[in-house]
Amino acid sequence: MNAILAKLGIGEVNSGATTGGRNGWLETSGSELVSISPIDGKPIAKVIQASADDYQIVIEKARAAFEKWRMVPAPVRGQVVREIGDILREYKDPLGQLVTLEMGKIMAEGRGEVQEMIDIADFAVGQSRMLYGLAMHSERPRHRMYEQWHPLGIVGVITAYNFPVSVWSWNALIAAVCGDITVWKPSSITPLTAIAVQHIIAPVIDRHGLDGVFNLVIGKGGEVGETMIQDRRIPLISMTGSTAMGIHIAEAVGRRLGRSILELGGNNAIIVAEDADLDMAVRATLFGAVGTAGQRCTTTRRIIVHRAVKPTFVERLVAAYGQVRIGNPLEEGSLMGPVVDGATIESLEKAIAAAKASGGRLLYGGRRITVSGCEGGYYVEPAIMEVQNEYPIVKEETFAPLLYIIECSHIDEAIAKHNDVPQGLSSAIFTKNMHYQEQFLSPIGSDCGIANVNIGTSGAEIGGAFGGEKETGGGRESGSDAWKQYMRRQTTTINWGHELPLAQGIRFDAD
Ligand code: UN1
């Protein structure tokens, strides 16, 4: 592992702020942060965090960089992102391993996360030639009207521990082709992966002299994070995290009329209809509920299953859970690694107790386990509970591997239960019935930002817009036209005639 850390530029003690490139690292003067591996509870390395003064240095560099970057033609900006994608390809394995080491997801998922970075880089390169505006027909003769998209400025990117690197890339690489500057504040749980990303892309930054375009500030939420969201020099804050934090950020950014993209909690469900392909439904549920140890925004948290197939479905699911190899995520055979920390195990246990108190029944798991060789790690069995959708705890997002089984007997009831939670990120139905499928996808169907048919709730491709409604925050990141949020729209009307006709036919002549 030490060789991997060295390859990624991680030392015993690391600077927590850079404006990019090999020489962009600051002599940071904030407090010390120790990154702990959830695999064995042991420290990996230290970071000297950014102080308030360090933050100011970074923002000033970012402002200076924007002056130049915004005038680089977008397709040329795209070429820089292409080189970033290329170098990420070279570092897919070591960076994926560091993701595994620092937050505990299994290696296949760690590598998958880096693949998302590569995919969004490719997408952004294409997008750099497609920052299209519309041309409109003016109502006035000899007038031309069109819209164009200009760079917005500095984008603050606040990311969570569960996707410590790909969510940065969704924002930073799209923002970069749009002509923006990013200042990244990663989760304090995963500072090393963020530092590694900066080391990986440093040769590209240096080759093109892009000091200040991709910035990193690791610091306390209460200090650096708070300063960032209040900072009028940052017109857009894109944040992934809890609903409580999202509300705070929406208020702070809204108060200064800034923009925010919020990617908050989910309470994602799969509806299993009576005609569902149960093999597929069980496999999708397993990946959706157990993958990343239940710590994706898109994790399947509820199964709403028709009573005719519920006994078979549950029996097969419990059998599949029994086959899950929980262990050191750095070992290839492991299907589930640790959860990120002890607090996550406690939240799982509390949720199980709360569901039981409401009348729920534990069907599987929920016990702490010890993995030999990883004694200090945070391992727990994934849990399945039979509950009613009405229980208060079921309405909450418990960010842990806990799956609720809810019975239904009609598609209308299933959809009503499906939507009866405060969150609205991802959703799915397993059915071969086109009436059910289309109802689920219609305006009276799923109220989520993502609605899938015969696919689970997690593992979205980068090409679509990613995000959700209600308490999920309404933001959209990644593909589709999410790029528009990183730019400012300008509507332009040009009069190429010699008259001055007014719109709406108004006459305003002095004589
Ligand atoms: C997240 O959990 O914040 O759709 C992102 C998925 C992944 C991204 C999850 N592509 O599950």
Side-chain angles (χ1 to χ4, degrees), residues 116 162-163 167 170 240 296-298 458-460 466:
E116 280 200 32
N162 64 331
F163 274 79
V167 175
W170 295 354
T240 303
R296 289 190 188 218
C297 304
T298 51
S458 69
F466 183 91

Side-chain angles (χ1 to χ4, degrees), residues 55-64 154 183 231 233-234:
Y55 170 82
Q56 296 303 337
I57 292 172
V58 171
I59 291 290
E60 281 314 314
K61 278 256 171 79
R63 260 157 66 99
I154 303 174
V183 177
D231 196 334
R233 294 168 293 184
I234 304 186

Side-chain angles (χ1 to χ4, degrees), residues 236-247:
L236 172 65
I237 298 279
S238 176
M239 172 262 179
T240 303
S242 68
T243 294
M245 234 182 63
I247 291 170

Side-chain angles (χ1 to χ4, degrees), residues 23-282:
N23 303 319
W25 296 93
L26 273 65
E27 287 271 344
T28 39
S29 56
S31 56
E32 191 178 276
L33 175 69
V34 182
S35 172
I36 307 279
S37 175
I39 296 175
D40 53 12
K42 294 197 177 124
I44 311 168
K46 290 178 187 166
V47 177
I48 308 300
Q49 299 187 95
S51 64
D53 288 349
D54 297 330
Y55 170 82
Q56 296 303 337
I57 292 172
V58 171
I59 291 290
E60 281 314 314
K61 278 256 171 79
R63 260 157 66 99
F66 181 60
E67 302 289 316
K68 289 196 230 154
W69 186 239
R70 63 183 170 181
M71 283 307 287
V72 174
V76 178
R77 297 191 296 246
Q79 288 310 305
V80 171
V81 171
R82 184 175 61 76
E83 289 177 33
I84 289 176
D86 286 345
I87 204 154
L88 284 168
R89 281 178 167 86
E90 283 173 38
Y91 283 86
K92 180 172 169 179
D93 278 358
L95 183 58
Q97 269 171 301
L98 182 61
V99 168
T100 295
L101 181 68
E102 198 173 35
M103 68 68 66
K105 64 173 73 173
I106 60 169
M107 294 248 282
E109 293 190 84
R111 284 193 289 264
E113 175 161 0
V114 183
Q115 186 59 46
E116 280 200 32
M117 304 175 85
I118 296 166
D119 291 344
I120 197 73
D122 288 355
F123 182 95
V125 175
Q127 191 68 64
S128 72
R129 291 183 183 270
M130 297 187 295
L131 303 172
Y132 297 142
L134 297 173
M136 299 85 173
H137 283 257
S138 171
E139 65 193 47
R140 289 169 278 186
R142 295 177 187 240
H143 278 56
R144 183 162 72 82
M145 183 157 67
Y146 75 106
E147 67 185 14
Q148 54 181 349
W149 295 87
H150 288 314
L152 188 63
I154 303 174
V155 181
V157 181
I158 302 175
T159 56
Y161 77 83
N162 64 331
F163 274 79
V165 289
S166 67
V167 175
W168 167 79
S169 67
W170 295 354
N171 287 281
L173 301 185
I174 296 289
V177 298
C178 291
D180 294 339
I181 300 302
T182 40
V183 177
W184 181 13
K185 189 203 160 303
S187 160
S188 298
I189 299 175
T190 49
L192 301 182
T193 45
I195 290 171
V197 167
Q198 292 289 340
H199 282 300
I200 291 169
I201 68 170
V204 181
I205 303 305
D206 289 342
R207 201 179 302 139
H208 297 278
L210 299 179
D211 185 31
V213 175
F214 296 101
N215 305 278
L216 173 68
V217 187
I218 296 166
K220 288 192 178 150
E223 288 169 19
V224 168
E226 205 54 39
T227 312
M228 211 166 141
I229 62 176
Q230 310 277 359
D231 196 334
R232 289 179 183 275
R233 294 168 293 184
I234 304 186
L236 172 65
I237 298 279
S238 176
M239 172 262 179
T240 303
S242 68
T243 294
M245 234 182 63
I247 291 170
H248 173 64
I249 288 178
E251 283 176 355
V253 177
R255 212 172 298 128
R256 61 180 174 88
L257 297 180
R259 292 187 199 173
S260 49
I261 300 176
L262 300 172
E263 185 58 62
L264 314 175
N267 197 344
N268 320 297
I270 298 179
I271 295 176
V272 180
E274 65 275 24
D275 70 328
D277 179 325
L278 291 188
D279 279 345
M280 276 169 57
V282 166

Side-chain angles (χ1 to χ4, degrees), residues 304-327:
I304 301 166
V305 56
H306 194 280
R307 65 186 152 91
V309 291
K310 184 176 141 211
T312 321
F313 176 84
V314 169
E315 190 188 318
R316 287 204 212 169
L317 189 67
V318 167
Y321 266 59
Q323 298 298 311
V324 171
R325 254 190 72 184
I326 304 166

